[in-house]
Coordinates of all heavy atoms in Angstrom, one line a residue:
M538 N -95.7 60.0 -51.7 CA -94.8 60.2 -50.5 C -95.4 61.3 -49.7 O -95.8 62.3 -50.3 CB -93.4 60.5 -51.0 CG -92.4 60.4 -49.9 SD -90.7 60.7 -50.3 CE -90.3 59.4 -51.4
S539 N -95.4 61.2 -48.4 CA -96.0 62.2 -47.5 C -95.0 63.3 -47.2 O -93.8 63.1 -47.4 CB -96.5 61.5 -46.2 OG -95.4 61.2 -45.4
L540 N -95.5 64.4 -46.7 CA -94.6 65.5 -46.3 C -93.7 65.0 -45.2 O -92.5 65.4 -45.2 CB -95.5 66.6 -45.8 CG -94.8 67.9 -45.4 CD1 -94.1 68.5 -46.6 CD2 -95.8 68.9 -44.9
Q541 N -94.2 64.2 -44.3 CA -93.3 63.6 -43.2 C -92.2 62.8 -43.8 O -91.0 62.9 -43.3 CB -94.1 62.8 -42.2 CG -93.3 62.4 -41.1 CD -94.2 61.6 -40.0 OE1 -95.4 61.5 -40.2 NE2 -93.5 61.2 -39.0
D542 N -92.4 62.0 -44.8 CA -91.4 61.2 -45.4 C -90.3 62.1 -46.1 O -89.1 61.9 -46.0 CB -92.0 60.3 -46.5 CG -92.8 59.1 -45.9 OD1 -92.6 58.8 -44.7 OD2 -93.6 58.6 -46.6
D543 N -90.8 63.2 -46.8 CA -89.9 64.1 -47.4 C -89.0 64.8 -46.4 O -87.8 64.9 -46.6 CB -90.7 65.2 -48.1 CG -91.3 64.7 -49.4 OD1 -90.9 63.7 -49.9 OD2 -92.3 65.4 -49.9
F544 N -89.6 65.2 -45.2 CA -88.8 65.8 -44.2 C -87.8 64.9 -43.5 O -86.7 65.2 -43.2 CB -89.7 66.5 -43.2 CG -90.1 67.9 -43.6 CD1 -91.4 68.2 -43.8 CD2 -89.2 68.9 -43.8 CE1 -91.8 69.4 -44.2 CE2 -89.6 70.2 -44.2 CZ -90.9 70.4 -44.5
N545 N -88.3 63.6 -43.4 CA -87.4 62.6 -42.8 C -86.2 62.3 -43.7 O -85.1 62.2 -43.3 CB -88.1 61.3 -42.6 CG -89.0 61.4 -41.3 OD1 -88.7 62.1 -40.4 ND2 -90.1 60.6 -41.3
K546 N -86.4 62.3 -45.0 CA -85.3 62.1 -46.0 C -84.4 63.3 -46.0 O -83.2 63.1 -46.0 CB -85.9 61.9 -47.4 CG -86.4 60.5 -47.7 CD -86.8 60.3 -49.1 CE -87.2 58.9 -49.4 NZ -87.5 58.7 -50.8
L547 N -85.0 64.5 -45.9 CA -84.1 65.7 -45.9 C -83.3 65.7 -44.6 O -82.1 66.0 -44.6 CB -85.0 66.9 -45.9 CG -84.3 68.3 -45.8 CD1 -83.3 68.4 -46.9 CD2 -85.3 69.4 -45.8
S548 N -84.0 65.3 -43.5 CA -83.3 65.3 -42.2 C -82.2 64.3 -42.2 O -81.1 64.6 -41.7 CB -84.3 65.0 -41.1 OG -83.6 64.9 -39.9
D549 N -82.4 63.1 -42.8 CA -81.4 62.1 -42.9 C -80.2 62.6 -43.7 O -79.0 62.3 -43.4 CB -81.9 60.8 -43.4 CG -82.9 60.1 -42.5 OD1 -82.9 60.4 -41.3 OD2 -83.6 59.2 -43.0
K550 N -80.5 63.2 -44.8 CA -79.4 63.7 -45.7 C -78.6 64.8 -45.0 O -77.4 64.8 -45.1 CB -80.0 64.3 -47.0 CG -79.0 64.6 -48.1 CD -78.1 63.4 -48.4 CE -78.5 62.6 -49.6 NZ -77.6 61.6 -49.9
I551 N -79.3 65.7 -44.3 CA -78.6 66.7 -43.5 C -77.7 66.1 -42.5 O -76.5 66.5 -42.3 CB -79.6 67.7 -42.9 CG1 -80.3 68.5 -44.0 CG2 -78.9 68.7 -41.9 CD1 -81.4 69.4 -43.5
K552 N -78.2 65.1 -41.8 CA -77.4 64.4 -40.7 C -76.2 63.8 -41.4 O -75.1 63.9 -40.8 CB -78.3 63.4 -40.0 CG -77.6 62.7 -38.9 CD -78.4 61.6 -38.2 CE -77.7 60.9 -37.1 NZ -76.4 60.4 -37.4
Q553 N -76.4 63.1 -42.5 CA -75.2 62.5 -43.2 C -74.2 63.6 -43.5 O -73.0 63.4 -43.3 CB -75.7 61.8 -44.5 CG -74.6 61.2 -45.3 CD -75.0 60.7 -46.6 OE1 -76.2 60.6 -46.9 NE2 -74.1 60.5 -47.5
Y554 N -74.6 64.7 -44.1 CA -73.7 65.7 -44.5 C -73.0 66.3 -43.3 O -71.8 66.6 -43.2 CB -74.4 66.8 -45.3 CG -74.8 66.5 -46.7 CD1 -75.6 67.3 -47.4 CD2 -74.3 65.3 -47.3 CE1 -76.0 67.0 -48.7 CE2 -74.7 65.0 -48.6 CZ -75.6 65.8 -49.3 OH -76.0 65.5 -50.6
R555 N -73.7 66.5 -42.2 CA -73.2 67.0 -41.0 C -72.2 66.1 -40.4 O -71.1 66.5 -40.0 CB -74.4 67.2 -40.0 CG -74.0 67.8 -38.7 CD -75.2 68.1 -37.8 NE -74.8 68.5 -36.5 CZ -74.7 67.8 -35.4 NH1 -74.8 66.4 -35.5 NH2 -74.3 68.3 -34.3
D556 N -72.5 64.8 -40.4 CA -71.5 63.8 -39.8 C -70.2 63.8 -40.7 O -69.1 63.7 -40.1 CB -72.1 62.4 -39.8 CG -73.2 62.3 -38.7 OD1 -73.3 63.1 -37.8 OD2 -74.0 61.3 -38.8
E557 N -70.4 63.8 -42.0 CA -69.2 63.8 -42.8 C -68.4 65.1 -42.6 O -67.2 65.1 -42.6 CB -69.6 63.7 -44.3 CG -70.2 62.4 -44.7 CD -70.8 62.3 -46.1 OE1 -70.8 63.4 -46.8 OE2 -71.4 61.3 -46.4
A558 N -69.0 66.2 -42.5 CA -68.4 67.5 -42.2 C -67.6 67.5 -40.9 O -66.5 67.9 -40.8 CB -69.3 68.7 -42.3
R559 N -68.3 66.9 -39.9 CA -67.6 66.8 -38.6 C -66.3 65.9 -38.7 O -65.3 66.3 -38.1 CB -68.6 66.1 -37.6 CG -68.0 66.0 -36.2 CD -68.9 65.4 -35.2 NE -70.0 66.2 -34.9 CZ -71.3 65.7 -34.8 NH1 -71.5 64.4 -34.9 NH2 -72.3 66.5 -34.6
V560 N -66.4 64.8 -39.4 CA -65.2 64.0 -39.5 C -64.1 64.8 -40.3 O -62.9 64.8 -39.9 CB -65.5 62.7 -40.3 CG1 -64.3 62.0 -40.7 CG2 -66.4 61.8 -39.4
Q561 N -64.5 65.5 -41.3 CA -63.5 66.2 -42.1 C -62.9 67.3 -41.3 O -61.7 67.6 -41.3 CB -64.1 66.8 -43.4 CG -64.4 65.7 -44.4 CD -65.2 66.3 -45.6 OE1 -65.8 67.4 -45.5 NE2 -65.4 65.5 -46.6
L562 N -63.7 68.0 -40.5 CA -63.3 69.1 -39.6 C -62.3 68.5 -38.6 O -61.2 69.1 -38.3 CB -64.4 69.8 -38.9 CG -64.1 70.9 -38.0 CD1 -63.4 72.0 -38.8 CD2 -65.4 71.5 -37.4
H563 N -62.6 67.4 -38.0 CA -61.8 66.7 -37.0 C -60.4 66.4 -37.6 O -59.3 66.6 -37.1 CB -62.4 65.5 -36.4 CG -61.5 64.8 -35.5 ND1 -61.2 65.2 -34.2 CD2 -60.8 63.6 -35.6 CE1 -60.4 64.4 -33.6 NE2 -60.1 63.4 -34.4
L564 N -60.4 65.8 -38.8 CA -59.2 65.4 -39.5 C -58.4 66.7 -39.9 O -57.2 66.7 -39.8 CB -59.5 64.6 -40.8 CG -60.1 63.2 -40.5 CD1 -60.5 62.6 -41.9 CD2 -59.1 62.4 -39.7
A565 N -59.1 67.7 -40.3 CA -58.4 69.0 -40.6 C -57.7 69.5 -39.4 O -56.5 70.0 -39.5 CB -59.3 70.0 -41.2
R566 N -58.4 69.5 -38.3 CA -57.7 70.0 -37.1 C -56.5 69.2 -36.7 O -55.5 69.7 -36.3 CB -58.7 69.9 -35.9 CG -59.8 71.0 -36.0 CD -60.7 71.0 -34.8 NE -61.8 71.9 -34.9 CZ -62.9 71.8 -34.4 NH1 -63.2 70.8 -33.6 NH2 -63.8 72.7 -34.5
K567 N -56.6 67.9 -36.9 CA -55.4 67.0 -36.6 C -54.3 67.3 -37.6 O -53.1 67.4 -37.1 CB -55.9 65.5 -36.9 CG -54.8 64.5 -36.7 CD -54.6 64.1 -35.3 CE -53.6 63.0 -35.2 NZ -52.3 63.3 -34.7
D568 N -54.6 67.5 -38.8 CA -53.5 67.9 -39.8 C -52.9 69.2 -39.4 O -51.7 69.4 -39.4 CB -54.1 68.1 -41.2 CG -54.5 66.8 -41.8 OD1 -54.1 65.7 -41.3 OD2 -55.2 66.8 -42.9
V569 N -53.7 70.2 -39.0 CA -53.2 71.5 -38.6 C -52.4 71.4 -37.3 O -51.3 72.0 -37.2 CB -54.3 72.5 -38.5 CG1 -53.8 73.8 -37.8 CG2 -55.0 72.8 -39.8
K570 N -52.8 70.5 -36.4 CA -52.1 70.3 -35.2 C -50.7 69.7 -35.4 O -49.7 70.1 -34.9 CB -52.9 69.5 -34.2 CG -52.2 69.0 -33.0 CD -52.1 70.1 -31.9 CE -51.7 69.6 -30.6 NZ -50.3 69.8 -30.3
D571 N -50.7 68.7 -36.3 CA -49.5 68.1 -36.7 C -48.5 69.1 -37.3 O -47.3 69.1 -37.1 CB -49.7 66.9 -37.6 CG -50.4 65.7 -36.9 OD1 -50.4 65.7 -35.7 OD2 -50.9 64.8 -37.7
E572 N -49.1 69.9 -38.2 CA -48.3 70.9 -38.9 C -47.7 71.9 -37.9 O -46.6 72.3 -37.9 CB -49.1 71.6 -39.9 CG -48.4 72.5 -40.9 CD -49.3 73.1 -42.0 OE1 -50.3 72.5 -42.3 OE2 -48.9 74.1 -42.5
W573 N -48.6 72.3 -36.9 CA -48.1 73.2 -35.8 C -47.0 72.6 -35.0 O -46.0 73.3 -34.7 CB -49.3 73.5 -34.9 CG -48.9 74.3 -33.7 CD1 -48.5 73.9 -32.5 CD2 -48.9 75.8 -33.7 NE1 -48.3 74.9 -31.7 CE2 -48.5 76.1 -32.4 CE3 -49.2 76.8 -34.6 CZ2 -48.3 77.4 -32.0 CZ3 -49.0 78.1 -34.2 CH2 -48.6 78.4 -32.9
D574 N -47.1 71.3 -34.6 CA -46.1 70.7 -33.9 C -44.7 70.6 -34.6 O -43.7 70.9 -34.0 CB -46.5 69.2 -33.5 CG -47.6 69.2 -32.5 OD1 -47.9 70.2 -31.8 OD2 -48.3 68.2 -32.4
D575 N -44.8 70.4 -35.9 CA -43.6 70.4 -36.7 C -43.0 71.7 -36.8 O -41.7 71.9 -36.6 CB -43.9 69.9 -38.1 CG -44.2 68.4 -38.2 OD1 -43.9 67.7 -37.2 OD2 -44.8 68.0 -39.3
L576 N -43.8 72.8 -36.9 CA -43.3 74.2 -37.0 C -42.7 74.6 -35.6 O -41.7 75.3 -35.6 CB -44.4 75.1 -37.3 CG -44.7 75.2 -38.8 CD1 -46.0 76.0 -39.0 CD2 -43.6 75.7 -39.6
E577 N -43.3 74.1 -34.5 CA -42.7 74.4 -33.2 C -41.3 73.9 -33.0 O -40.5 74.5 -32.5 CB -43.7 73.9 -32.1 CG -44.9 74.7 -32.0 CD -44.7 76.2 -31.5 OE1 -44.3 76.4 -30.4 OE2 -44.8 77.1 -32.4
Q578 N -41.1 72.7 -33.6 CA -39.7 72.1 -33.5 C -38.8 73.0 -34.4 O -37.7 73.2 -33.9 CB -39.7 70.7 -34.0 CG -40.4 69.7 -33.0 CD -40.5 68.3 -33.6 OE1 -40.0 68.0 -34.7 NE2 -41.0 67.4 -32.8
D579 N -39.2 73.4 -35.5 CA -38.4 74.3 -36.4 C -38.2 75.6 -35.7 O -37.1 76.2 -35.8 CB -39.1 74.5 -37.7 CG -39.1 73.2 -38.6 OD1 -38.3 72.3 -38.3 OD2 -39.9 73.2 -39.6
W580 N -39.2 76.1 -35.0 CA -39.0 77.4 -34.3 C -37.9 77.3 -33.3 O -37.1 78.2 -33.1 CB -40.4 77.8 -33.6 CG -40.3 78.9 -32.7 CD1 -40.3 78.9 -31.3 CD2 -40.1 80.3 -33.0 NE1 -40.2 80.1 -30.8 CE2 -40.1 81.0 -31.8 CE3 -40.0 81.0 -34.2 CZ2 -39.9 82.4 -31.8 CZ3 -39.8 82.3 -34.2 CH2 -39.8 83.0 -33.0
D581 N -37.9 76.2 -32.5 CA -36.9 76.0 -31.5 C -35.5 75.9 -32.1 O -34.5 76.5 -31.6 CB -37.1 74.7 -30.7 CG -38.3 74.8 -29.8 OD1 -38.7 75.9 -29.4 OD2 -38.9 73.7 -29.4
R582 N -35.4 75.2 -33.3 CA -34.1 75.2 -34.0 C -33.7 76.6 -34.5 O -32.5 77.0 -34.4 CB -34.2 74.2 -35.1 CG -34.1 72.8 -34.7 CD -33.8 71.8 -35.9 NE -34.9 71.8 -36.9 CZ -35.9 71.0 -36.9 NH1 -36.0 70.0 -36.0 NH2 -36.8 71.0 -37.8
F583 N -34.7 77.3 -35.0 CA -34.4 78.7 -35.5 C -33.9 79.6 -34.4 O -33.0 80.3 -34.5 CB -35.8 79.2 -36.1 CG -35.7 80.7 -36.5 CD1 -34.9 81.0 -37.7 CD2 -36.4 81.6 -35.9 CE1 -34.9 82.3 -38.1 CE2 -36.3 82.9 -36.3 CZ -35.6 83.3 -37.4
R584 N -34.6 79.5 -33.2 CA -34.2 80.4 -32.1 C -32.8 80.0 -31.6 O -32.0 80.9 -31.3 CB -35.2 80.3 -30.9 CG -36.6 80.9 -31.2 CD -36.5 82.3 -31.5 NE -35.8 83.0 -30.5 CZ -35.4 84.3 -30.5 NH1 -35.6 85.0 -31.6 NH2 -34.7 84.9 -29.6
S585 N -32.5 78.7 -31.6 CA -31.2 78.3 -31.2 C -30.1 78.8 -32.2 O -29.1 79.2 -31.8 CB -31.2 76.7 -31.1 OG -29.9 76.3 -30.8
K586 N -30.4 78.7 -33.5 CA -29.5 79.1 -34.5 C -29.3 80.6 -34.4 O -28.1 81.1 -34.5 CB -30.1 78.8 -35.9 CG -29.1 79.0 -37.0 CD -28.0 78.0 -36.9 CE -27.5 77.6 -38.3 NZ -26.3 76.8 -38.2
L587 N -30.4 81.4 -34.2 CA -30.2 82.9 -34.0 C -29.4 83.2 -32.8 O -28.5 84.1 -32.8 CB -31.6 83.5 -33.9 CG -32.3 83.8 -35.2 CD1 -33.6 84.5 -34.9 CD2 -31.5 84.5 -36.2
D588 N -29.7 82.5 -31.7 CA -28.9 82.7 -30.5 C -27.4 82.5 -30.7 O -26.5 83.3 -30.3 CB -29.4 81.8 -29.3 CG -30.7 82.3 -28.8 OD1 -31.2 83.4 -29.1 OD2 -31.3 81.5 -28.1
Q589 N -27.1 81.4 -31.5 CA -25.7 81.1 -31.8 C -25.1 82.2 -32.7 O -24.0 82.6 -32.5 CB -25.7 79.8 -32.5 CG -24.3 79.3 -32.9 CD -24.3 78.1 -33.7 OE1 -25.3 77.5 -34.0 NE2 -23.1 77.6 -34.1
I590 N -25.9 82.7 -33.7 CA -25.3 83.7 -34.6 C -25.1 85.0 -33.8 O -24.1 85.7 -34.0 CB -26.3 83.9 -35.8 CG1 -26.2 82.7 -36.7 CG2 -26.0 85.2 -36.5 CD1 -27.2 82.7 -37.8
F591 N -26.1 85.3 -32.9 CA -25.9 86.6 -32.2 C -24.8 86.5 -31.2 O -24.1 87.5 -31.0 CB -27.3 86.9 -31.4 CG -28.4 87.3 -32.3 CD1 -29.7 87.1 -31.9 CD2 -28.2 87.9 -33.6 CE1 -30.8 87.5 -32.7 CE2 -29.2 88.3 -34.4 CZ -30.5 88.1 -34.0
H592 N -24.6 85.3 -30.6 CA -23.5 85.2 -29.7 C -22.2 85.3 -30.4 O -21.2 85.9 -29.9 CB -23.6 83.8 -29.0 CG -22.5 83.6 -28.0 ND1 -21.4 82.9 -28.3 CD2 -22.4 83.9 -26.7 CE1 -20.6 82.8 -27.2 NE2 -21.2 83.5 -26.2
D593 N -22.1 84.7 -31.6 CA -20.8 84.7 -32.4 C -21.0 85.6 -33.6 O -20.4 85.3 -34.6 CB -20.5 83.3 -32.8 CG -20.3 82.3 -31.7 OD1 -19.9 82.7 -30.6 OD2 -20.7 81.1 -31.9
A594 N -21.6 86.7 -33.4 CA -21.9 87.6 -34.5 C -20.7 87.9 -35.4 O -20.8 87.8 -36.7 CB -22.5 88.9 -34.1
E595 N -19.6 88.2 -34.9 CA -18.4 88.5 -35.7 C -17.9 87.3 -36.5 O -17.4 87.4 -37.6 CB -17.4 89.1 -34.9 CG -17.7 90.5 -34.3 CD -16.6 91.1 -33.4 OE1 -15.5 90.6 -33.5 OE2 -17.0 92.0 -32.7
N596 N -18.1 86.1 -35.9 CA -17.5 84.9 -36.4 C -18.5 84.1 -37.2 O -18.1 83.1 -37.9 CB -16.9 84.0 -35.4 CG -15.8 84.7 -34.6 OD1 -15.1 85.5 -35.2 ND2 -15.6 84.5 -33.4
A597 N -19.8 84.5 -37.2 CA -20.8 83.7 -37.9 C -20.6 83.8 -39.4 O -20.4 84.9 -40.0 CB -22.2 84.2 -37.6
S598 N -20.6 82.7 -40.0 CA -20.4 82.6 -41.5 C -21.6 83.1 -42.2 O -22.7 83.1 -41.7 CB -20.0 81.2 -41.9 OG -21.2 80.4 -41.8
N599 N -21.4 83.5 -43.4 CA -22.5 83.9 -44.3 C -23.4 82.7 -44.5 O -24.6 82.9 -44.6 CB -22.0 84.4 -45.6 CG -21.4 85.8 -45.5 OD1 -21.8 86.6 -44.6 ND2 -20.6 86.2 -46.4
E600 N -22.9 81.5 -44.5 CA -23.7 80.3 -44.7 C -24.6 80.1 -43.5 O -25.8 79.8 -43.7 CB -22.8 79.1 -44.9 CG -23.5 77.8 -45.1 CD -22.6 76.6 -45.3 OE1 -21.4 76.8 -45.7 OE2 -23.1 75.5 -45.0
A601 N -24.1 80.3 -42.3 CA -25.0 80.2 -41.1 C -26.1 81.2 -41.1 O -27.2 80.9 -40.8 CB -24.1 80.3 -39.9
R602 N -25.7 82.4 -41.5 CA -26.7 83.5 -41.5 C -27.8 83.2 -42.6 O -29.0 83.4 -42.3 CB -26.1 84.8 -41.9 CG -25.2 85.3 -40.7 CD -24.5 86.6 -41.1 NE -23.5 87.0 -40.1 CZ -22.6 87.9 -40.3 NH1 -22.5 88.5 -41.4 NH2 -21.7 88.1 -39.3
E603 N -27.3 82.7 -43.8 CA -28.3 82.4 -44.8 C -29.2 81.2 -44.4 O -30.4 81.2 -44.7 CB -27.6 82.0 -46.1 CG -28.4 81.8 -47.3 CD -29.4 82.9 -47.6 OE1 -29.1 84.1 -47.3 OE2 -30.4 82.7 -48.2
T604 N -28.6 80.2 -43.7 CA -29.4 79.1 -43.2 C -30.5 79.6 -42.2 O -31.7 79.2 -42.3 CB -28.5 78.1 -42.5 OG1 -27.6 77.6 -43.5 CG2 -29.3 76.9 -42.0
A605 N -30.1 80.4 -41.3 CA -31.1 81.0 -40.4 C -32.2 81.8 -41.1 O -33.3 81.7 -40.8 CB -30.4 81.8 -39.3
R606 N -31.8 82.6 -42.1 CA -32.7 83.4 -42.8 C -33.7 82.5 -43.5 O -34.9 82.7 -43.5 CB -32.0 84.3 -43.8 CG -33.0 85.3 -44.5 CD -32.4 85.9 -45.7 NE -32.1 85.0 -46.8 CZ -33.2 84.4 -47.5 NH1 -34.4 84.7 -47.3 NH2 -32.9 83.5 -48.5
K607 N -33.2 81.5 -44.2 CA -34.1 80.6 -44.9 C -35.1 79.9 -44.0 O -36.2 79.7 -44.3 CB -33.2 79.6 -45.7 CG -34.0 78.4 -46.4 CD -34.7 78.9 -47.6 CE -35.3 77.7 -48.4 NZ -36.7 77.7 -48.4
L608 N -34.5 79.4 -42.9 CA -35.4 78.7 -41.9 C -36.5 79.7 -41.4 O -37.6 79.3 -41.2 CB -34.6 78.2 -40.7 CG -35.3 77.4 -39.7 CD1 -36.1 76.3 -40.2 CD2 -34.3 76.9 -38.6
G609 N -36.1 80.9 -41.1 CA -37.0 81.9 -40.7 C -38.1 82.2 -41.7 O -39.3 82.3 -41.4
E610 N -37.8 82.3 -43.0 CA -38.8 82.5 -44.0 C -39.7 81.3 -44.1 O -40.9 81.4 -44.3 CB -38.1 82.7 -45.4 CG -37.4 84.1 -45.5 CD -38.4 85.2 -45.4 OE1 -39.5 85.1 -46.0 OE2 -38.0 86.3 -44.8
D611 N -39.2 80.1 -44.0 CA -40.0 78.9 -44.1 C -41.0 78.8 -42.9 O -42.1 78.5 -43.1 CB -39.1 77.6 -44.1 CG -38.3 77.4 -45.4 OD1 -38.6 78.1 -46.4 OD2 -37.4 76.6 -45.4
L612 N -40.5 79.2 -41.8 CA -41.3 79.3 -40.6 C -42.5 80.3 -40.8 O -43.6 80.0 -40.5 CB -40.5 79.6 -39.3 CG -39.8 78.5 -38.6 CD1 -38.8 79.1 -37.7 CD2 -40.7 77.6 -38.0
K613 N -42.1 81.5 -41.3 CA -43.1 82.5 -41.5 C -44.2 82.0 -42.4 O -45.4 82.1 -42.2 CB -42.5 83.7 -42.0 CG -43.4 84.9 -42.3 CD -42.7 86.1 -42.7 CE -42.5 86.0 -44.2 NZ -42.0 87.2 -44.9
T614 N -43.8 81.4 -43.5 CA -44.7 80.8 -44.5 C -45.6 79.7 -43.8 O -46.8 79.7 -44.0 CB -44.0 80.2 -45.7 OG1 -43.3 81.3 -46.3 CG2 -44.9 79.6 -46.7
G615 N -44.9 78.8 -43.0 CA -45.7 77.8 -42.4 C -46.7 78.3 -41.4 O -47.9 77.8 -41.4
Y616 N -46.4 79.3 -40.6 CA -47.3 79.9 -39.7 C -48.4 80.6 -40.4 O -49.6 80.6 -40.0 CB -46.7 80.8 -38.6 CG -45.9 80.0 -37.6 CD1 -44.6 80.1 -37.4 CD2 -46.6 79.1 -36.7 CE1 -43.9 79.4 -36.4 CE2 -46.0 78.4 -35.7 CZ -44.6 78.6 -35.6 OH -44.0 77.9 -34.6
Q617 N -48.1 81.3 -41.5 CA -49.1 81.9 -42.3 C -50.1 80.9 -42.9 O -51.3 81.2 -42.9 CB -48.5 82.8 -43.5 CG -47.9 84.0 -43.0 CD -47.1 84.7 -44.2 OE1 -46.6 84.1 -45.1 NE2 -47.0 86.0 -44.1
N618 N -49.6 79.8 -43.3 CA -50.5 78.7 -43.8 C -51.4 78.2 -42.8 O -52.6 78.0 -43.1 CB -49.7 77.6 -44.4 CG -48.9 77.9 -45.7 OD1 -49.3 78.9 -46.4 ND2 -47.9 77.2 -46.0
I619 N -50.9 78.0 -41.6 CA -51.8 77.6 -40.5 C -52.8 78.6 -40.2 O -54.0 78.3 -40.0 CB -51.0 77.2 -39.2 CG1 -50.2 75.9 -39.5 CG2 -51.9 77.1 -38.0 CD1 -49.4 75.5 -38.3
R620 N -52.4 79.9 -40.1 CA -53.4 81.0 -39.8 C -54.5 81.0 -40.9 O -55.6 81.1 -40.6 CB -52.6 82.3 -39.8 CG -53.5 83.4 -39.2 CD -52.7 84.7 -39.2 NE -52.7 85.1 -40.6 CZ -51.8 86.0 -41.1 NH1 -51.0 86.6 -40.3 NH2 -51.9 86.4 -42.4
N621 N -54.1 80.9 -42.1 CA -55.1 80.9 -43.2 C -56.0 79.7 -43.2 O -57.2 79.8 -43.5 CB -54.4 80.9 -44.6 CG -53.7 82.2 -44.8 OD1 -54.0 83.3 -44.2 ND2 -52.7 82.2 -45.7
K622 N -55.5 78.5 -42.8 CA -56.4 77.4 -42.7 C -57.4 77.5 -41.5 O -58.5 76.9 -41.6 CB -55.5 76.1 -42.4 CG -54.7 75.6 -43.6 CD -53.9 74.4 -43.3 CE -53.0 74.0 -44.5 NZ -52.2 72.9 -44.2
L623 N -57.0 78.2 -40.5 CA -57.9 78.4 -39.4 C -58.9 79.5 -39.5 O -59.8 79.7 -38.6 CB -57.1 78.5 -38.1 CG -56.3 77.3 -37.7 CD1 -55.4 77.7 -36.5 CD2 -57.2 76.1 -37.4
K624 N -58.8 80.3 -40.6 CA -59.8 81.4 -40.8 C -61.1 80.9 -41.2 O -61.3 79.9 -41.8 CB -59.3 82.3 -41.9 CG -58.1 83.2 -41.4 CD -57.8 84.2 -42.5 CE -56.7 85.1 -42.0 NZ -56.3 86.0 -43.1

């Protein structure tokens, strides 16, 4: 086998790996984008819930406060996960 054949095989293998990596990267971005979109909907619900609690602060039940706190913690974790995936 010639040196040219060796380099052609190496080049073909690199191209294959590159193409596979490109597809995986594209899919990962799609997954992260979908996750982001879901979190954005949760963010809107969280902000609405907080606005309601702040508006009715004296009348807000402990259950409503706990629900908002839990949603906030879940959002924080979700955004941290996305940030870590994009590093």
Side-chain angles (χ1 to χ4, degrees):
M538 190 177 300
S539 73
L540 184 60
Q541 186 175 358
D542 290 339
D543 288 341
F544 277 116
N545 282 334
K546 282 186 176 184
L547 177 61
S548 177
D549 289 344
K550 192 51 100 174
I551 292 170
K552 183 182 181 311
Q553 176 189 347
Y554 288 168
R555 183 177 175 266
D556 290 344
E557 290 171 3
R559 181 183 295 139
V560 168
Q561 289 172 347
L562 183 60
H563 176 73
L564 293 175
R566 286 183 184 154
K567 175 86 171 105
D568 289 345
V569 171
K570 173 74 168 98
D571 290 345
E572 192 173 336
W573 175 269
D574 291 342
D575 291 344
L576 282 172
E577 286 295 286
Q578 289 177 1
D579 290 343
W580 170 253
D581 290 339
R582 284 193 295 267
F583 176 71
R584 292 299 308 168
S585 176
K586 189 69 148 174
L587 279 184
D588 289 345
Q589 179 184 4
I590 288 171
F591 291 152
H592 182 265
D593 301 330
E595 292 179 17
N596 298 328
S598 70
N599 285 337
E600 183 180 335
R602 291 178 191 165
E603 183 59 26
T604 298
R606 188 197 64 74
K607 173 74 170 116
L608 182 55
E610 288 296 321
D611 291 346
L612 279 167
K613 183 177 84 172
T614 300
Y616 284 119
Q617 284 173 332
N618 288 340
I619 286 178
R620 191 183 73 195
N621 291 339
K622 287 178 183 178
L623 294 174
K624 284 185 177 178

